Structures are given as C-alpha cells and as structure tokens.
Amino acid sequence: MRNIIIGLLFLIVSFSQACMAASLQLPNNTETVLVNGKASQQSSVKLDLTTPDAIQQIAFRYQARYRDNGSQNHFTSDVIILRFTASEQTYTVALPIINSTSRANQFNAHPAITLTNQAGDKVAFTQDKLMKAGLQIGRDFEQEMTQYNTSGAIAAMVTNTKLSTVSNTEPGAVVMTPSMMPAATVKGEQAVNNTAAKPLKKTDDITQAEVSRMLDYWYQKANQQTQAEFKAKINN
C-alpha cells in the first residue's frame, strides 16, 4: 500500500511539472534550427522549453509557397533569432502571410514577428538574424550560434542583459530591429538608439562581425547587376 501511495505521489508530481513546463508554438510553415544553441530534436512546431523561468533563444526559418506573376514560388527566410524570458506557460509566435515576392523580400528585410503568452498578451522579445556571408550550403548552425553568443550581439544569450525595446503603439508590443540592419533603413527612420541613428565615426567601436553582417545585408538588397559589379570589384 505504501509503495502504491509513493507511486501515485510521484505520478502527481511528474504530471504537475509536465503541465507547468514552458513551451513555444510556432506556425506550421517554420523550420526550427536551434533551441538554446542546440539543434532541435523536436519534430513538432510546438517546442518544449527545458529551462522555464529563464531566457530562451530560438532560431528558426520561415517557409512559404505562393503564386506570383503566374509562377509558383518557394520562399525560405534567413535564420531568425528570437530571445525572450519564459515562465511556465505556452507562448505563440505569429508571422505575416507571404503571398508575393514583394512581401517575401519585405519580411526578409524587416521580419515582422508577434509573440504572445497563453493569455493573449504580447510579450517582450529581442530578435536578430544568424547571418553567414558567402555559400550557405553545409552550415554549422551550432558553431555559428556559439560565435554569435560570444559577439555581444543584440539577441545573444548573455545573462544579466536587459531586453532593449522599441516602443510600439500597442501596449506590450515590443520588437527589436535586427542588429545588422542600419537604423536609417528602418521605415520612418526610427533609430533603435542614438548610437545606431548617427553615422559611424572612425573612433566608434565596430567589429568585423558587424561589418560582415552589414555587407551581407546590403548585398542581399542589391539587384543582380549591382551584385555582379560588386563581385567584379572584389575579384580585381
């Protein structure tokens, strides 16, 4: 009888812990790349977050199919990094509908993401992109994230780092501008902070990683002719 009671208590405690675990619901058309720096082994778009009451860092890609100008297109976004503080509840990520090439390009340049808790309230978060210049085949995302997290970038997993925010007209809506995106390119030219808003001076501290991200950003924004001219300059 005693063993039965102990067993029941164990099951109750285990069930309570399972119910109170944090989780993140992603849209069906997303690919989870990393969860807290590690390759995701979860096949479902509902991710179990193993460290509730802590900062979470999720890396994912948005995938969409759409018909534009009579042709079928497949869109895969850059790798998006999402960092937020989770408690023992379910969180949901919402993404805009991609139904044209212009919308796909707009999302890649300015990923519009909404994060809500299970009560439907918007949750503060920080976002960025995990970028790699050059050939994108055979990427080691875990290694890239390790380097990213030691770079001091905006969505790095750094303890004792407060979430920087950009004000939104809706209460509780907090979205970060990707760090590789120059502040002047944001629609309305709203700067994230005074440092980002002003032109860089020679005395300003800028790392080669930041230079690489900015070069990659502007290269992706260029048309094919401009890209070809840029490659020609590099090869000369």
Side-chain angles (χ1 to χ4, degrees), residues 113-172:
I113 302 172
T114 303
L115 179 67
T116 55
N117 58 22
Q118 62 190 34
D121 299 322
K122 291 185 178 180
V123 176
F125 64 91
T126 306
Q127 75 180 68
D128 201 354
K129 291 183 185 178
L130 188 62
M131 303 296 290
K132 177 187 176 184
L135 198 64
Q136 302 296 304
I137 300 175
R139 295 177 62 177
D140 186 341
F141 290 114
E142 290 191 11
Q143 179 62 29
E144 288 181 37
M145 187 61 80
T146 298
Q147 294 176 352
Y148 178 89
N149 284 334
T150 59
S151 69
I154 198 169
M157 284 285 283
V158 181
T159 56
N160 301 323
T161 299
K162 295 181 179 179
L163 291 179
S164 302
T165 62
V166 176
S167 297
N168 194 292
T169 54
E170 297 181 53

Side-chain angles (χ1 to χ4, degrees), residues 78-203:
D78 296 328
V79 178
I80 300 169
I81 304 172
L82 183 68
R83 191 191 72 183
F84 67 101
T85 301
S87 59
E88 295 172 333
Q89 59 178 309
T90 299
Y91 297 85
T92 302
V93 168
L95 301 172
I97 295 174
I98 303 294
N99 54 15
S100 66
T101 300
S102 61
R103 283 183 176 270
N105 292 337
Q106 182 181 14
F107 179 85
N108 235 9
H110 311 284
I113 302 172
T114 303
L115 179 67
T116 55
N117 58 22
Q118 62 190 34
D121 299 322
K122 291 185 178 180
V123 176
F125 64 91
T126 306
Q127 75 180 68
D128 201 354
K129 291 183 185 178
L130 188 62
M131 303 296 290
K132 177 187 176 184
L135 198 64
Q136 302 296 304
I137 300 175
R139 295 177 62 177
D140 186 341
F141 290 114
E142 290 191 11
Q143 179 62 29
E144 288 181 37
M145 187 61 80
T146 298
Q147 294 176 352
Y148 178 89
N149 284 334
T150 59
S151 69
I154 198 169
M157 284 285 283
V158 181
T159 56
N160 301 323
T161 299
K162 295 181 179 179
L163 291 179
S164 302
T165 62
V166 176
S167 297
N168 194 292
T169 54
E170 297 181 53
V174 182
V175 179
M176 294 309 303
T177 302
S179 64
M180 84 299 253
M181 186 187 304
T185 66
V186 181
K187 187 175 181 180
E189 300 187 357
Q190 293 181 329
V192 177
N193 51 48
N194 292 332
T195 303
K198 64 181 181 180
L200 288 172
K201 299 178 182 178
K202 291 183 179 179
T203 56

Side-chain angles (χ1 to χ4, degrees), residues 216-234:
D216 187 74
Y217 169 76
W218 285 113
Y219 180 81
Q220 297 298 331
K221 292 286 289 181
N223 58 30
Q224 292 183 353
Q225 181 180 350
T226 304
Q227 289 178 351
E229 292 174 352
F230 179 72
K231 288 180 181 178
K233 289 180 182 179
I234 294 175

